[in-house]
């Protein structure tokens, strides 16, 4: 406790913006990364790795389209393999970006200003990766438009009572709203880049994208109203998306899926893995681009605490799931949980428990939260854990359900792995392009933050 | 700077160094009787829109209507498809099993409201706008960095080149410049 300011601990006293910054200095520093810094060697190296993984994805998808989903390890009974595991994992990662940009805006959390832009970019790229998997998983992906309601010659309509159709609407709405939110946030910053462009080409491109934004007071008024409205719309949306994803499971009667705890449990898990991804991106970014003034220890500490809190909700859900399996007296549920813990996929379950529940408890210690390396490793562990969670939920429930005669095993093939690792390549390719060509921190919100700090000091 | 011919003049622009100065200047211009003027800043400033005479935007009403259309249209689409267009018994449920139509109704409400928000904000703002006279002033590029501008249009009834210039000078700006149309 700081004796001068009772009720404020050291973490709160730490600034969300290092002192000494002006409107000009934040603008120059962030726009210089895009405009004058140039393409660094480390950027090229990272981009090359990402592109290599992306090429591998292209190869895996080409073979998939040529030969069909039989090249994957899926079978009957395990019809949902890596594709659905990856889908749920990626869409969950996206949720933290929306939460930071929308929910924290409504809550007037000032610290969000310097992390929301790249968190939103993360959301869009994660949703792009997620959206790819159900399409690949369709036996005939070129007929994907059958999922949408359109007046076709057969007078058929989608079955709107099916959670899988709900999912189509939830994910496509989520993708659209995330892109809108991101673009609206970018408009004033694109204008800044246009006004500070070093070459004619940049000036024209950023000029077209910024649509002639000139910072008029009337425009700002509508702009801020629109941001607030979008935040209000995106907050319930983000909760609904993972709820609908969990309906894909929980509306079915499979043991281990058919449970009312799924919607909140999935939403908490999504935020958990999303914040882990934000930290995994923020820690190297702030170091490499020298953004320690903007993304301070306060940010990382706060995000680590959110991760810990959502992690505890996830832990509670695991506990309740296990408890209910026995308490319900349902022999299939009881068998399912025993099969998870001691069946053929027990290793995945116990690594999940270690990575998702045990290791993140280190975040109780401020030393772990404030050490970049340890925080990065814990975040990585959470992401591994969350991927395994979806693997365990999907595979173990399908693999042994009610009748032993319909049991089977699932073994991912190299095509499964190549598609999974390739989607990480797709994500990072998009992300590398983003940090090279667009401001990764919202410049106008940073100027506003400087203004607010000045007002606070004057008051 | 050479003086611009009267018919080619869009207005007079004053540059300020702080958001407070701009806010005070905008309030003063309003009290002085000017109506056709605008203020430009690198970020939204509280109270500035009111000072330039723009207290309220219609956007929330439009968004509400957009949401309403998404909600009713979304529900009706599902109800028509699964009750009238292609009725099919699923799990012994009645055709009109409306609770299962709620998730998509909700998603489409959000989708239409969000699209209205963004398209509404952009079109009400008159964007995309390829040309605006304000950009003819070279220092206006700093409006997206750290400078604050007040622009009184020549079309204002009270506008008079020398009087308006004197008025703007009285606000202690860093610079007053003529804006070419």
């Amino acid at each position: 406790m700081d004796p001068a300011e009772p009720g404020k601990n050291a973490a709160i006293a730490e600034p969300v913006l290092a002192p000494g910054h002006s409107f000009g200095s934040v603008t120059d520093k962030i726009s210089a990364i895009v405009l004058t810094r140039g393409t660094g060697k480390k950027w090229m190296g990272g981009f090359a790795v990402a592109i290599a993984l992306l090429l591998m994805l292209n190869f895996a998808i080409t073979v998939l389209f040529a030969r069909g989903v039989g090249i994957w390890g899926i079978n009957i009974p395990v019809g949902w393999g890596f594709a659905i595991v990856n889908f749920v994992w990626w869409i969950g990662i996206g949720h933290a970006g929306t939460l930071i940009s929308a929910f924290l805006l409504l809550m007037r959390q000032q610290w969000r200003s310097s992390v929301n832009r790249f968190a939103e970019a993360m959301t869009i790229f994660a949703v792009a990766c997620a959206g790819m998997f159900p399409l690949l998983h369709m036996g005939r992906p070129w007929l994907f438009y059958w999922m949408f309601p359109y007046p076709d010659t057969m007078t058929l309509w989608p079955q709107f009572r099916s959670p899988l159709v709900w999912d189509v609407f939830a994910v496509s709405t989520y993708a659209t709203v995330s892109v809108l939110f991101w673009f609206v946030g970018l408009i004033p910053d694109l204008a800044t880049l246009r006004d500070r462009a070093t070459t004619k080409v940049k000036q024209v491109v950023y000029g077209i994208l910024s649509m002639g934004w000139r910072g008029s007071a009337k425009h700002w008024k509508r702009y801020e109203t629109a941001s607030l409205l979008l935040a209000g719309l995106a907050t319930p949306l983000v909760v609904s998306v993972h709820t609908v994803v969990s309906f894909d499971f929980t509306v079915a009667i499979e043991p281990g899926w058919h449970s009312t705890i799924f919607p909140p449990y999935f939403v908490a898990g999504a935020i958990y893995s999303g914040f882990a991804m934000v930290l995994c991106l923020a820690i190297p970014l702030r170091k490499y681009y020298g953004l320690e003034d903007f993304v301070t220890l306060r940010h990382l500490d706060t995000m680590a605490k959110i991760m810990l809190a959502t992690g505890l909700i996830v832990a509670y859900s695991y506990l309740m799931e296990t408890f209910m399996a026995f308490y319900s007296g349902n022999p299939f549920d009881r068998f399912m949980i025993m099969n998870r813990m001691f069946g053929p996929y027990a290793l995945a379950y116990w690594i999940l428990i270690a990575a998702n529940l045990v290791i993140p408890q280190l975040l109780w210690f401020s030393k772990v939260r404030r050490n970049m390396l340890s925080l990065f490793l814990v975040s990585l562990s959470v992401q591994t854990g969350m991927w395994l969670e979806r693997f365990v939920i999907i595979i173990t429930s399908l693999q042994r359900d009610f009748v032993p005669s319909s049991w089977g095993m699932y073994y991912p093939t190299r095509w499964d792995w190549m598609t999974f690792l390739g989607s990480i390549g797709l994500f990072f390719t998009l992300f590398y392009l983003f940090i090279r060509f667009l401001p990764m921190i919202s410049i106008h919100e940073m100027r506003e933050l400087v203004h607010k700090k000045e007002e606070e000091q004057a008051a | 700077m050479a003086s611009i011919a009267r018919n080619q003049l869009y207005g007079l622009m004053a540059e300020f160094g702080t958001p407070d100065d701009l806010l005070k200047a905008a309030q003063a211009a309003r009290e002085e009787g000017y109506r056709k003027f605008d203020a430009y800043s690198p970020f939204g400033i509280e109270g500035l829109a009111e000072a330039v005479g723009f207290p309220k935007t219609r956007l929330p009403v439009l968004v509400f209507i957009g949401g309403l259309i998404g909600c009713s249209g979304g529900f009706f689409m599902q109800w028509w498809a699964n009750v009238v267009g292609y009725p099919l018994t699923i799990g012994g449920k009645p055709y009109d099993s409306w609770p299962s139509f709620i998730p998509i109704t909700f998603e489409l409400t959000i989708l239409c409201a969000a699209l209205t928000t963004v398209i509404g904000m952009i079109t009400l703002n008159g964007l995309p706008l390829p040309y605006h006279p304000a950009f003819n002033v070279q220092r206006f590029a700093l409006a997206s960095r750290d400078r604050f501008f007040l622009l009184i249009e020549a079309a204002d009834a009270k506008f008079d080149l020398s009087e308006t210039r004197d008025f703007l000078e009285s606000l202690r700006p860093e610079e007053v410049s003529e804006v070419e149309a």
Side-chain angles (χ1 to χ4, degrees):
Chain A
M1 289 285 253
D2 185 354
E5 287 179 283
K8 277 196 173 182
N9 64 28
I12 303 278
E14 213 158 70
V16 290
L17 175 68
H21 274 291
S22 65
F23 304 136
S25 74
V26 293
T27 309
D28 295 346
K29 195 159 182 190
I30 302 168
S31 60
I33 293 172
V34 178
L35 294 172
T36 53
R37 188 187 165 102
T39 311
K41 275 197 182 125
K42 281 184 190 159
W43 185 92
M44 281 302 266
F47 189 61
V49 174
I51 283 276
L53 286 171
L54 178 64
L55 289 174
M56 186 172 79
L57 176 71
N58 285 346
F59 176 55
I61 292 178
T62 310
V63 176
L64 176 76
F65 285 175
R67 294 177 50 198
V69 288
I71 64 169
W72 287 350
I74 50 172
N75 54 35
I76 302 296
V78 187
W80 283 6
F82 264 32
I84 306 302
V85 176
N86 297 337
F87 163 70
V88 182
W89 187 64
W90 275 120
I91 199 117
I93 283 174
H95 280 40
T98 320
L99 205 87
I100 289 174
S101 56
F103 185 63
L104 296 183
L105 177 73
L106 295 180
M107 294 287 120
R108 304 203 181 276
Q109 294 291 307
Q110 283 185 358
W111 61 273
R112 65 176 273 288
S113 296
S114 45
V115 287
N116 65 346
R117 171 66 49 70
F118 72 82
E120 282 169 36
M122 175 196 84
T123 295
I124 293 168
F125 305 149
V127 173
C129 291
M132 183 179 74
F133 280 104
L135 296 181
L136 298 180
H137 191 257
M138 281 191 260
R140 293 173 288 170
W142 51 93
L143 298 178
F144 76 95
Y145 60 89
W146 283 12
M147 296 184 297
F148 291 102
Y150 68 101
D152 65 292
T153 51
M154 299 172 284
T155 70
L156 281 167
W157 291 93
Q159 180 48 253
F160 290 116
R161 297 178 191 92
S162 161
L164 298 182
V165 177
W166 302 348
D167 219 17
V168 174
F169 281 84
V171 173
S172 48
T173 300
Y174 186 47
T176 314
V177 173
S178 302
V179 171
L180 288 176
F181 207 166
W182 190 60
F183 178 66
V184 166
L186 271 169
I187 294 171
D189 286 1
L190 290 166
T192 298
L193 293 180
R194 171 201 64 201
D195 294 340
R196 306 179 54 70
T198 42
T199 65
K200 191 79 193 163
V201 177
K202 285 180 195 168
Q203 193 183 20
V204 170
V205 173
Y206 289 126
I208 290 172
L209 289 173
S210 63
M211 301 189 297
W213 179 265
R214 55 187 190 277
S216 149
K218 296 171 189 171
H219 291 188
W220 277 118
K221 172 95 177 173
R222 289 198 191 95
Y223 181 88
E224 283 174 348
T225 308
S227 302
L228 211 57
L229 286 170
L230 277 180
L233 292 167
T235 304
L237 174 67
V238 72
V239 175
S240 86
V241 172
H242 228 66
T243 302
V244 168
V245 169
S246 80
F247 284 163
D248 291 345
F249 298 94
T250 195
V251 172
I253 56 162
E254 289 291 314
W257 289 6
H258 193 59
S259 150
T260 47
I261 205 172
F262 261 42
Y265 156 36
F266 265 49
V267 173
I271 297 163
Y272 189 36
S273 64
F275 271 95
M277 187 58 127
V278 173
L279 284 169
C280 277
L281 295 172
I283 291 168
L285 273 184
R286 73 194 278 273
K287 190 169 168 60
Y288 179 55
Y289 285 101
L291 296 171
E292 280 97 342
D293 283 4
F294 301 152
V295 183
T296 64
L297 276 180
R298 164 93 180 272
H299 293 97
L300 302 174
D301 189 71
T302 311
M303 288 195 280
K305 281 179 185 162
I306 295 177
M307 208 162 82
L308 179 61
T310 46
L312 290 173
I313 301 176
V314 171
Y316 172 80
S317 306
Y318 291 165
L319 207 69
M320 268 303 127
E321 221 179 11
T322 314
F323 172 75
M324 283 312 291
F326 291 97
Y327 185 69
S328 67
N330 183 326
F332 298 108
D333 272 356
R334 200 172 57 221
F335 174 78
M336 177 278 302
I337 212 83
M338 294 304 281
N339 183 43
R340 264 186 200 176
M341 288 177 176
F342 308 109
Y345 296 103
L347 186 63
Y349 181 80
W350 292 112
I351 298 175
L352 144 71
I353 294 295
N356 238 6
L357 298 192
V358 181
I359 293 172
Q361 300 313 316
L362 289 169
L363 295 175
W364 286 102
F365 302 101
S366 137
K367 268 193 181 151
V368 177
R369 292 197 306 267
R370 281 153 183 276
N371 180 307
M372 291 308 104
L373 182 67
S374 60
L375 186 56
F376 185 79
L377 291 176
V378 171
S379 306
L380 221 52
S381 151
V382 168
Q383 298 206 48
T384 319
M386 285 310 292
W387 188 87
L388 283 169
E389 179 201 297
R390 276 68 177 249
F391 179 85
V392 165
I393 289 174
I394 292 172
I395 309 300
T396 60
S397 282
L398 287 173
Q399 173 242 345
R400 290 181 179 172
D401 56 4
F402 303 100
V403 191
S405 62
S406 66
W407 287 359
M409 285 294 288
Y410 169 78
Y411 301 103
T413 65
R414 70 189 123 134
W415 303 106
D416 283 304
W417 286 108
M418 280 163 76
T419 321
F420 170 47
L421 297 174
S423 70
I424 297 174
L426 172 63
F427 177 85
F428 278 102
T429 304
L430 293 168
F431 202 80
Y432 268 98
L433 290 173
F434 157 71
I435 55 176
R436 179 67 190 80
F437 293 110
L438 291 169
M440 69 178 105
I441 293 179
S442 175
I443 308 176
H444 70 96
E445 283 183 54
M446 290 309 281
R447 286 191 291 250
E448 208 174 329
L449 191 63
V450 171
H451 179 53
K452 274 184 191 147
K453 294 283 149 208
E454 278 175 357
E455 276 186 334
E456 271 170 27
Q457 270 169 7
Chain B
M1 189 163 107
S3 202
I4 300 162
R6 174 84 210 190
N7 59 349
Q8 286 176 328
L9 187 73
Y10 179 77
L12 278 174
M13 183 187 268
E15 177 185 335
F16 298 92
T18 69
D20 279 350
D21 287 347
L22 176 64
L23 187 58
K24 280 183 196 130
Q27 282 160 349
R30 186 140 196 92
E31 275 162 30
E32 190 76 9
Y34 290 104
R35 287 296 173 266
K36 283 195 170 176
F37 66 98
D38 207 346
Y40 301 92
S41 56
F43 54 86
I45 299 167
E46 216 177 313
L48 192 59
E50 287 77 4
V52 302
F54 183 67
K56 220 175 150 187
T57 160
R58 283 171 293 166
L59 196 59
V61 180
L62 294 178
V63 171
F64 181 73
I65 295 169
L68 220 52
I69 292 172
C71 179
S72 49
F75 187 86
F76 177 75
M77 171 190 77
Q78 299 176 75
W79 176 85
W80 189 87
N82 283 176
V83 177
V84 183
Y86 195 79
L88 198 64
T89 305
I90 298 287
K93 294 184 192 98
Y95 291 141
D96 185 19
S97 48
W98 64 269
S100 41
F101 300 153
I102 295 305
I104 293 180
T105 306
F106 175 79
E107 302 298 339
L108 289 176
T109 308
I110 300 281
L111 181 66
C112 291
L115 284 170
T116 317
T117 310
V118 175
I119 296 170
M121 186 271 286
I122 290 172
T123 46
L124 286 176
N125 278 348
L127 303 175
L129 189 72
Y131 175 80
H132 192 274
F135 288 99
N136 289 332
V137 178
Q138 221 163 27
R139 289 195 50 91
F140 188 68
L142 295 175
S144 67
R145 184 173 180 264
D146 61 345
R147 295 279 137 172
F148 303 83
F149 296 87
L150 186 74
L151 202 171
I152 301 184
E153 287 179 34
D156 192 292
K158 208 178 168 326
F159 187 87
D160 177 88
L161 189 53
S162 60
E163 267 180 37
T164 307
R165 179 179 277 277
D166 288 345
F167 164 70
L168 284 174
E169 294 286 3
S170 74
L171 300 170
R172 303 187 172 280
E174 309 210 341
E175 197 181 315
V176 176
S177 38
E178 297 181 0
V179 184
E180 207 178 326

